[in-house]
């Protein structure tokens, strides 16, 4: 039990001291059993305060310290480092949160906040008095990373990792790479097309000896833990034996009797069961959509490179870390939402973009030339009644950029029915250009949404304009374009397989949006791009670089350090009932046999130290290192003292 404990109570400027009497807290705990010294400090995290604590540890031979300040999420590691620099084991330190749990929570009752702070600090002292010296765990790590998703974020991450010397398995479930970006035409701000961006990234990937690309491949199962993950891959064949002869491929398409909606063009046209989305798509080899193929054999008669007997195969890869970059889907409006699928002249922005790419010198839709377009913003974003409360960030910019493009190319007149335009940063230039083009902006109340009415071969939009003293407008247009937001990928099973948590918006969740923005609570699993949240291309690439750096820093040393805060099985008590294994969300507990007795064992690489297994054990055979029963009971005693 520790006898020379140093206690430091932080003012945090006015954050704590305005609502908690820190001097009273100090006076109340400085005579508490085991406390050797107690001090108050204006900012405990400042360099000068850290040096003072270090010197106290050295000169007074302190055997433990307590810092009462803010959330451990912010400064746990800061003060662990202080302890180590002072010569103290970092696990003989306890942080007490009297800011979020004290001054901020009870700012209207300072006396009560002070009383609570005193009790919390006493509990911290009681716990650190029972603390033990612990050492970080070290496990081997394969310097290999699986990047799941070969859109621009995944492609860029793969190249970055490979350049840093890490072996990369780039896994794409589609037969072609590029993701959503390959569907877009000219992009702001570079004026490059999506196809050009993908082409440049693909060249870097395909020539790199450390990148192995899998297409038509999904992760079917995972085993192992950080540093040593085994991924079972399910690989769907292309049903093409080798590089197809172009003329033979063209003939195979011609004779193929199957026609289905072309999902690459969002159903704006049809494609055959043998297909490439566009001529220069990567990899250059075509593919057969076997789910819709009838295996009539007509394609085989004209193209000898087609083999309809190829079978799905599996392969297992071993990696130290995993990077998820599975992208997004555009929001699909419900039937009847702003006239979608019930009025012919209503399409989504994604469909409109493909219509532009497929059009020639005239912009036509269903036989009619398009001269006026009405854009309705925030469809599937910032919903009042729906569950998509978030702003999708890219939609305003994308719609205005599209309006500028169709003005330059076809002199199309545009009406923008919005809820406040969000073209931030350099993208604001697009809004300026749009205004110069004569585009009309109408702001509507989200509680009084525009109404679309069919009018001959066109449509009329009825809307109340907030910018003109709530004047009711009737706007006749040739086409209504719904500017839809981003949603997570449909049927994305990788989250379930890897047990990566999702947020309220259903995108993958990071540990902390500012401090650990690309890490998940699953050790060794990073997230990047729009799999995490709505992002534009630049933002996706930046997050992919961050995730790649994090993954490389984890596995490149060949060894990983893990927290020693783990579940510990008292094997002499355990009677193996399986309840601990059933409740563990990380699959860290399994059954083993010792001297003929079945008992539980903990996989230290998988255990997160969450403690969920402790309360379900009927014989109290599990302890949590760093939070032992003795430590927790001493805290409770201090709190009720």
């Amino acid at each position: 039990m520790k006898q020379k404990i140093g206690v430091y109570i932080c003012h945090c400027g006015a954050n704590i001291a305005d609502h908690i009497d820190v001097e009273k807290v100090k006076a109340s705990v400085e005579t508490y059993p085991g406390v050797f010294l107690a001090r108050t400090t204006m900012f405990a995290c400042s360099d000068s305060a850290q040096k003072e604590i270090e010197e106290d540890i050295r000169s007074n031979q302190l055997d433990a310290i307590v810092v009462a300040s803010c959330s451990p999420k912010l400064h746990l590691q800061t003060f662990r480092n202080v302890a180590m620099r002072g010569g103290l084991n970092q696990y003989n330190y306890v942080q007490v949160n009297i800011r979020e749990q004290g001054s901020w929570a009870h700012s209207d009752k300072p006396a009560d906040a002070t009383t609570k702070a005193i009790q919390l600090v006493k509990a911290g002292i009681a716990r650190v008095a029972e603390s033990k010296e612990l050492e970080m765990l070290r496990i081997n790590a394969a310097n290999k990373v699986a990047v799941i998703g070969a859109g621009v974020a995944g492609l860029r991450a793969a190249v970055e990792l490979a350049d840093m010397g890490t072996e990369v398995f780039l896994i794409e479930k589609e037969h072609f790479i590029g993701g959503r970006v390959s569907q877009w035409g000219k992009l702001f701000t570079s004026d490059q097309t999506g196809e050009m961006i993908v082409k440049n990234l693909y060249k870097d990937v395909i020539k790199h000896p450390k990148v192995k690309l899998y297409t038509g491949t999904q992760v079917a199962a995972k085993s192992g833990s950080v540093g040593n993950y085994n991924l079972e891959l399910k690989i769907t064949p292309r049903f093409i034996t080798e590089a197809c002869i172009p003329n033979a491929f063209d003939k195979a398409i011609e004779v193929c009797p199957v026609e289905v909606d072309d999902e690459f063009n969002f159903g704006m046209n049809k494609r055959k069961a043998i297909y490439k989305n566009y001529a220069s798509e990567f990899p250059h080899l075509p593919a057969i959509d076997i789910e819709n193929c009838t295996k009539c054999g007509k394609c085989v008669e004209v193209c000898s490179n087609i083999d309809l007997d190829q079978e799905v195969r599996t392969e297992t890869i071993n990696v130290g870390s995993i990077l998820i970059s599975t992208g997004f889907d555009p929001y699909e409006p419900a039937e009847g939402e702003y006239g979608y699928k019930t009025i012919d002249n209503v399409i989504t922005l994604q469909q409109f973009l493909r219509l532009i790419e497929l059009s020639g010198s005239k912009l036509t839709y269903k036989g009619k030339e398009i001269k006026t377009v009405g854009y309705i913003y925030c469809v599937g974003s910032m919903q009042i009644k729906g569950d998509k409360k978030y702003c999708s960030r890219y939609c305003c910019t994308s719609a205005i950029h599209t309006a500028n493009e169709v003005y330059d190319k076809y002199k199309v007149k545009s009406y923008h029915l919005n809820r406040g335009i969000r073209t931030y940063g350099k993208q604001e230039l697009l809004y300026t250009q749009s205004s110069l083009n004569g585009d009309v902006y109408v702001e509507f109340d989200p509680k009084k949404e525009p109404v679309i009415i069919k009018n001959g071969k066109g449509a009329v939009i009825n809307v109340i304009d907030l910018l003109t003293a709530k004047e009711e407008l009737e706007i006749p247009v040739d086409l209504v374009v719904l500017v839809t937001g981003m949603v997570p990928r449909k049927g994305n099973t990788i989250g379930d397989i890897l047990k990566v948590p999702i947020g309220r918006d259903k995108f993958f969740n990071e540990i902390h949006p500012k401090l650990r923005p690309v890490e998940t609570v699953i050790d060794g699993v990073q997230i990047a791009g729009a799999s995490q949240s709505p992002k534009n291309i630049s933002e996706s690439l930046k997050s992919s670089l961050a995730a790649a750096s994090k993954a490389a820093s984890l596995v490149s040393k060949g060894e990983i350090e893990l927290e020693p805060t783990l579940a510990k099985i008292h094997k002499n008590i355990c009677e193996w009932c399986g309840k601990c294994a059933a409740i563990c969300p990380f699959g860290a507990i399994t059954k083993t046999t010792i001297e003929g007795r079945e008992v539980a064992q903990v996989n230290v690489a998988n255990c997160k130290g969450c403690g969920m297994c402790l309360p379900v054990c009927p014989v109290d055979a599990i302890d949590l290192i760093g939070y032992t029963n003795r430590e927790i009971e001493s805290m409770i005693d201090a709190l009720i003292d």
Side-chain angles (χ1 to χ4, degrees):
M1 188 167 176
K2 302 295 182 291
Q3 295 296 328
K4 297 186 74 175
I5 301 170
V7 181
Y8 301 86
I9 301 118
C10 182
H11 287 240
C12 195
N15 275 298
I16 293 173
D18 270 8
H19 309 292
I20 289 176
D21 185 343
V22 294
E23 294 299 334
K24 187 176 180 181
V25 176
K26 174 197 163 191
S28 298
V29 303
E30 62 187 353
T31 58
Y32 201 72
V35 175
F36 182 80
L37 63 85
R39 303 186 195 281
T40 60
T41 177
M42 183 57 69
F43 289 106
C45 58
S46 67
D47 287 348
S48 59
Q50 289 185 42
K51 288 177 181 175
E52 184 180 10
I53 298 171
E54 288 175 41
E55 183 54 33
D56 277 349
I57 295 170
R58 273 192 294 269
S59 59
N60 297 295
Q61 295 294 299
L62 298 180
D63 56 10
I65 60 170
V66 171
V67 177
S69 56
C70 55
S71 168
K73 283 187 174 180
L74 292 174
H75 284 302
L76 178 69
Q77 197 55 50
T78 300
F79 295 113
R80 280 184 173 181
N81 292 336
V82 169
M84 287 191 288
R85 291 198 297 271
L88 188 67
N89 184 281
Q90 60 178 316
Y91 296 98
N92 291 138
Y93 152 68
V94 165
Q95 184 160 350
V96 178
N97 183 357
I98 60 170
R99 191 177 72 175
E100 282 86 342
Q101 296 177 1
S103 63
W104 285 3
H106 309 289
S107 58
D108 57 335
K109 296 179 180 178
D112 290 347
T114 300
T115 299
K116 183 179 179 181
I118 291 169
Q119 294 305 102
L120 290 174
V121 176
K122 285 181 176 177
I125 295 168
R127 181 184 157 207
V128 85
E130 300 289 346
S131 65
K132 305 293 182 187
E133 291 189 0
L134 303 174
E135 298 298 328
M136 297 286 282
L137 300 172
R138 288 179 170 78
I139 60 173
N140 294 329
N143 189 14
K144 303 174 184 177
V145 174
V147 177
I148 301 172
V152 291
L155 291 165
R156 189 67 187 88
V159 174
E160 190 70 13
L161 282 162
D163 284 346
M164 288 188 281
T166 298
E167 190 174 346
V168 180
F169 300 97
L170 180 56
I171 301 161
E172 170 57 52
K173 74 172 183 178
E174 304 294 339
H175 285 294
F176 306 100
I177 56 96
R180 294 291 174 195
V181 173
S182 63
Q183 293 175 286
W184 313 143
K186 190 186 291 186
L187 304 169
F188 184 76
T189 59
S190 66
D191 276 351
Q192 288 180 300
T193 63
E195 181 182 337
M196 293 166 67
I197 299 285
V198 171
K199 179 181 179 182
N200 290 333
L201 288 169
Y202 178 72
K203 282 183 176 177
D204 291 338
V205 163
I206 208 68
K207 74 181 181 185
H208 210 300
K210 285 192 171 294
V211 181
K212 184 173 183 180
L213 174 63
Y214 292 85
T215 56
T217 303
Q218 296 190 67
V219 176
K222 180 221 72 174
S223 61
S225 55
V226 58
N228 184 32
Y229 283 118
N230 291 313
L231 300 181
E232 182 183 314
L233 306 182
K234 178 184 174 185
I235 304 170
T236 305
R238 289 174 175 273
F239 303 97
I240 308 291
T241 56
E242 57 189 62
C244 191
I245 301 168
N247 288 340
F249 175 56
D250 291 341
K251 287 181 181 176
I253 292 178
E254 185 179 332
V255 300
C256 177
V258 176
E259 281 196 337
V260 296
D261 284 343
D262 188 344
E263 59 274 79
F264 184 82
N265 289 322
F266 298 99
M268 299 299 285
N269 61 352
K270 300 285 185 182
R271 69 157 169 81
K272 296 294 184 69
I274 311 170
Y275 73 104
K276 284 184 73 174
N277 293 317
Y278 55 91
S280 59
E281 194 167 29
F282 308 103
H284 288 309
L285 214 57
I288 290 181
D289 170 11
I290 201 65
E291 289 187 5
N292 288 301
C293 176
T294 60
K295 293 191 175 182
C296 66
K298 292 185 178 179
C299 58
V300 180
E301 295 173 3
V302 297
C303 181
S304 59
N305 299 115
I306 295 175
D307 179 5
L308 297 176
D309 294 325
Q310 289 183 347
E311 295 182 349
V312 174
R313 64 185 179 88
T314 59
E315 181 177 330
T316 300
I317 59 172
N318 177 262
V319 296
S321 181
I322 300 167
L323 192 156
I324 304 175
S325 57
T326 46
F328 74 100
D329 279 329
Y331 171 75
E332 175 78 14
E335 185 171 326
E337 187 175 359
Y338 294 107
Y340 185 67
K341 289 188 176 177
T342 57
I343 298 177
D344 287 345
N345 311 72
V346 179
I347 62 175
T348 65
L349 178 61
Q350 292 73 33
Q351 290 175 313
F352 190 46
L353 289 167
R354 294 313 303 166
L355 178 68
I356 296 167
E357 291 300 309
L358 297 171
S359 296
S361 58
K362 280 188 177 182
L363 183 64
T364 59
Y365 181 67
K366 295 198 172 180
K368 181 181 179 182
E369 185 174 0
I370 305 302
K371 302 301 289 184
T372 55
V373 172
Y375 298 88
I376 298 180
Y377 287 63
C378 298
V379 180
S381 292
M382 301 200 299
Q383 291 177 328
I384 293 177
K385 296 180 181 177
D387 57 357
K388 294 162 183 65
K389 307 292 185 189
Y390 53 86
C391 170
S392 289
R393 297 170 57 83
Y394 87 115
C395 337
C396 288
T397 298
S398 182
I400 296 173
H401 180 251
T402 303
N404 289 345
E405 289 294 302
V406 293
Y407 178 83
D408 290 343
K409 197 170 180 181
Y410 302 109
K411 299 303 177 192
V412 169
K413 174 78 174 178
S414 295
Y415 297 89
H416 301 265
L417 282 65
N418 65 86
R419 295 167 54 185
I421 296 296
R422 290 167 171 78
T423 48
Y424 50 94
K426 295 178 181 178
Q427 298 164 162
E428 190 72 5
L429 298 174
L430 294 169
Y431 178 74
T432 303
Q433 184 58 52
S434 166
S435 300
L436 293 173
N437 291 343
D439 287 4
V440 177
Y441 285 81
V442 176
E443 186 171 331
F444 65 88
D445 184 341
K447 294 180 181 176
K448 297 179 180 177
E449 298 175 335
V451 176
I452 318 299
I453 299 172
K454 175 73 176 171
N455 181 23
K457 291 187 177 181
V460 172
I461 306 174
N462 289 336
V463 59
I464 296 174
D465 181 19
L466 298 180
L467 301 177
T468 55
K470 299 185 179 180
E471 184 177 352
E472 188 168 350
L473 305 178
E474 287 188 358
I475 305 172
V477 294
D478 298 321
L479 195 65
V480 175
V481 174
L482 305 182
V483 183
T484 56
M486 291 185 182
V487 297
R489 284 278 191 190
K490 292 176 186 172
N492 193 348
T493 58
I494 192 64
D496 294 332
I497 293 171
L498 299 181
K499 298 188 184 302
V500 178
I502 58 174
R504 291 182 180 179
D505 55 11
K506 306 294 191 297
F507 288 95
F508 293 130
N509 242 8
E510 67 285 324
I511 290 179
H512 190 289
K514 292 180 174 62
L515 301 176
R516 300 173 74 179
V518 297
E519 297 170 73
T520 71
V521 295
I522 307 301
D523 286 334
V525 178
Q526 287 77 38
I527 49 178
S531 67
Q532 181 181 13
S533 63
K535 289 183 175 68
N536 64 29
I537 298 171
S538 297
E539 292 163 344
S540 291
L541 292 174
K542 288 170 187 170
S543 74
S544 75
L545 294 176
S549 297
K550 190 65 192 176
S553 67
L554 185 69
V555 300
S556 59
K557 297 174 186 173
E559 185 180 78
I560 296 174
E561 288 188 336
L562 298 176
E563 283 284 315
T565 309
L566 305 169
K568 178 183 178 182
I569 308 293
H570 296 293
K571 293 186 169 56
N572 57 327
I573 302 175
C574 178
E575 298 172 350
W576 180 252
C577 61
K579 291 182 178 178
C580 54
I583 201 166
C584 177
F586 307 105
I589 299 179
T590 55
K591 181 172 63 176
T592 189
T593 302
I594 296 178
E595 297 177 351
R597 292 179 60 240
E598 291 184 339
V599 297
Q601 70 173 359
V602 177
N603 181 335
V604 296
N606 279 2
C607 180
K608 307 295 292 182
C610 67
M612 292 180 67
C613 52
L614 274 71
V616 302
C617 179
V619 294
D620 198 18
I622 311 175
D623 232 334
L624 188 62
I625 299 171
Y627 294 87
T628 60
N629 287 349
R630 192 174 182 83
E631 289 173 80
I632 298 301
E633 287 166 3
S634 69
M635 292 176 72
I636 295 171
D637 290 341
L639 286 169
I640 62 177
D641 184 15

